[in-house]
Amino acid sequence: MEMELSLEQYETLLKLVYMGDWVISTLQAKDRSEDEPDSDSRYADVVRHVFSQAEHAGLGNIVQIDQNNGEPYLTREFEEESGLVDILEDYEDEVFWQALIERLAHRDFLRHFGETAISQMAIEERIEKETPFHDKWSNEFHENGLENLKT
């Protein structure tokens, strides 16, 4: 199967593959020791293939080959100038705040109603009764960040 992409589309594909690889690699690194290989090389194979075609597509200036292992990678200049680093930092920030809000809201919801009562609620009732806890934490962090969190 062959796919026709413009130069701009291929550059966007490189960015998407890089970001997907970053997410997968982060999750895989969390679940393995330094001596273990990647748990699923399907992703690495696709990254390698897409990156290795950059020269042929006319984007060889943004992909380099590692002299030690022969693996293609995006240049540091491209990562920074393309906004990839900013996108990933914004993503991490958003995930952090959403996860924190969700976890604190759910904790407070459980404390307030108890597991038994919650297990007997219909999903609509759960959502309705948990939403105020979510709103409380969302407003708190929007207004004060982490300032008021104490141990």
Side-chain angles (χ1 to χ4, degrees):
M1 174 179 83
E2 199 164 310
M3 192 167 43
E4 298 275 335
L5 296 173
S6 70
L7 198 59
E8 183 179 336
Q9 288 173 322
Y10 198 85
E11 184 175 316
T12 300
L13 178 62
L14 287 171
K15 292 175 184 178
L16 289 168
V17 168
Y18 175 88
M19 289 185 284
D21 182 53
W22 182 87
V23 170
I24 295 295
S25 296
T26 300
L27 293 174
Q28 287 178 344
K30 182 183 88 163
D31 294 335
R32 71 172 191 275
S33 70
E34 288 184 26
D35 299 333
E36 285 182 73
D38 289 344
S39 58
D40 192 340
S41 65
R42 294 176 301 167
Y43 302 112
D45 291 344
V46 170
V47 171
R48 190 177 306 108
H49 181 72
V50 171
F51 282 16
S52 67
Q53 299 299 312
E55 175 106 34
H56 177 72
L59 293 169
N61 61 317
I62 64 175
V63 175
Q64 292 181 329
I65 305 298
D66 187 303
Q67 298 303 316
N68 296 322
N69 62 18
E71 294 290 322
Y73 64 94
L74 295 183
T75 64
R76 174 69 59 207
E77 296 81 23
F78 180 73
E79 287 177 10
E80 292 170 359
E81 292 170 9
S82 67
L84 284 171
V85 172
D86 294 333
I87 291 169
L88 291 170
E89 286 174 352
D90 289 348
Y91 170 77
E92 284 181 329
D93 197 47
E94 184 64 25
V95 168
F96 168 78
W97 288 111
Q98 289 304 315
L100 184 59
I101 290 166
E102 292 299 325
R103 289 175 185 180
L104 289 171
H106 191 69
R107 178 202 66 186
D108 293 351
F109 176 59
L110 278 169
R111 285 179 178 172
H112 186 79
F113 291 100
E115 238 178 276
T116 303
I118 291 170
S119 69
Q120 296 172 355
M121 293 178 189
I123 189 69
E124 295 84 7
E125 184 181 5
R126 285 185 197 178
I127 292 169
E128 179 186 328
K129 289 184 175 177
E130 190 170 2
T131 297
F133 297 102
H134 183 277
D135 293 346
K136 172 193 141 192
W137 285 111
S138 182
N139 291 334
E140 171 62 31
F141 294 133
H142 179 72
E143 292 173 18
N144 303 303
L146 298 173
E147 189 62 34
N148 292 332
L149 283 184
K150 304 218 182 335
T151 56

